[in-house]
Each structure stands twice: as structure tokens, then as C-alpha cells.
Amino acid sequence: FGLRVDRDPFRDPRVRRAIALTLNRPDIIRRVILGAGTLGNDSPFWSKFPSTDRSIKQRKQNLALARALLQAAGQERPKFTITTWNGIDLPDYAQAIQAAGRQAGMDIDLEVQSNAEYYGGGADYYATTPWINRPATITEYGARGVPNTYLTAAYMSDGIWNAAHYKNAELDSAARSYLAAPDIQGQRNATKKLAGLLLRDTPVITSYFISFVTASSSRVQNY
């Protein structure tokens, strides 16, 4: 769930954190994907990735803090539209966010497009396609064995999937340290730093990681 940090009402990170704090993630997993998933913590670092630092605290619903952050930001009743497409769990997830935000005084509209509309674009694709350019978008990402592609494409300043238009030199540096780390401990040191930055700035809200079923071979180990 990407929030464009260069567009109102998302320029202030307190507003973005407030949106994230309205979400009851265990309840969303239960109702939207019928329990077939694990908690997300607003970063690409799934809890079962070996590189994910185990000490990172899980963000939980806190409506009182959400309201306080909105008040501090001078946006007690922010209004915005979430754009997504009519597939898999996405419309139901958008409705869950809409309902959660209402509890903190947010006025959220939904724009549910077709797959062709959402992923379509003009000659300059990355400047025109809705999934990267609308102010708030929900996009599904395919399963991967490591978070590297998510990190480089969706979070780093020059990422081609950076729907939040988030640019942070400190995060870029930490991401490069993660990618260069020669061992798991080095990776975990970097993911702890990265997760802290993303919880603070919240350019992307990741409420859950959906369970993904695939075939494998017993001869392939440690994936």
C-alpha cells in the first residue's frame, strides 16, 4: 500500500504513520485472506526471511496515537483516494483500510480499476501508469526467496517500482550495505536499520504477506 510522499496529505510522515496505526492486521489477515498469511511490518522483510532481524518490534493498531499524530500534523480529517485493481484480495483489503481509517476520522474513497487500466500506461510507461503514479495505490507483489528485488525496485531512490516516490539517501546506503553483506548477521544488521527507517517514514504499508503455494524439489535445500 504505497503512499506518495510528494503528494498531500502524505507529505508529512506523521500522516502516513497514522494510517498504518489504524490497521488491525491480525483481523485483516483473518477476514480478508481467511488466515492464509503472516503479519507484515511495513517493510519488505518477511519474518521468515533468514536476513530479517528478529528484534524488530511489530507495529500494532493504536487508534489513539493515530488521532494524535493527525492532530499534530494539522490534518485531523485527511481525505484521499486509494487506487487498486479488481483482483485477488486487493479490493477487500482496500475496503478494510477504508473502514479502519474511518475510525480515526479519515475520509477514504476507493478507485478499483481493471487489471489493464491499473497496469496500463502511455509511451512513457513509468510516468503514466496508475500503479506508480496515483497518490495511494495497492499493488500485489509476487513471491520471492529473498527481499532484494522488493528493496531495490520499490524502496530505493532510483527504484523503477517506487510507487511512493520515496527518496532517502540513508536508506539507500543501508540497502547497499545489506546487498553487499557476506553473511546472515551482516544482512540482519542492515535489515534492522532499514526496518527502523521504514517504520519511521512509512512510505509503504505492508499489512501482511499472503501464503503462496508453489511446487519444489526435495533436492533443492535452504530456500
Side-chain angles (χ1 to χ4, degrees), residues 112-166:
V112 181
Q113 300 182 330
S114 70
N115 179 283
E117 290 173 320
Y118 189 66
Y119 289 112
D124 187 352
Y125 180 79
Y126 287 105
T128 56
T129 184
W131 75 281
I132 292 177
N133 293 287
R134 288 289 202 276
T137 56
I138 302 177
T139 304
E140 84 288 0
Y141 276 53
R144 288 172 171 82
V146 292
N148 300 29
T149 298
Y150 306 134
L151 183 61
T152 57
Y155 294 87
M156 293 182 72
S157 297
D158 59 354
I160 59 171
W161 298 342
N162 189 341
H165 294 232
Y166 175 65

Side-chain angles (χ1 to χ4, degrees), residues 4 7-12 15-16 19 75 78-80 135:
R4 282 194 59 166
R7 296 278 185 90
D8 290 328
F10 311 120
R11 295 180 195 272
D12 192 319
V15 173
R16 305 193 298 268
I19 296 168
Q75 297 198 55
K79 180 178 175 60
F80 58 93

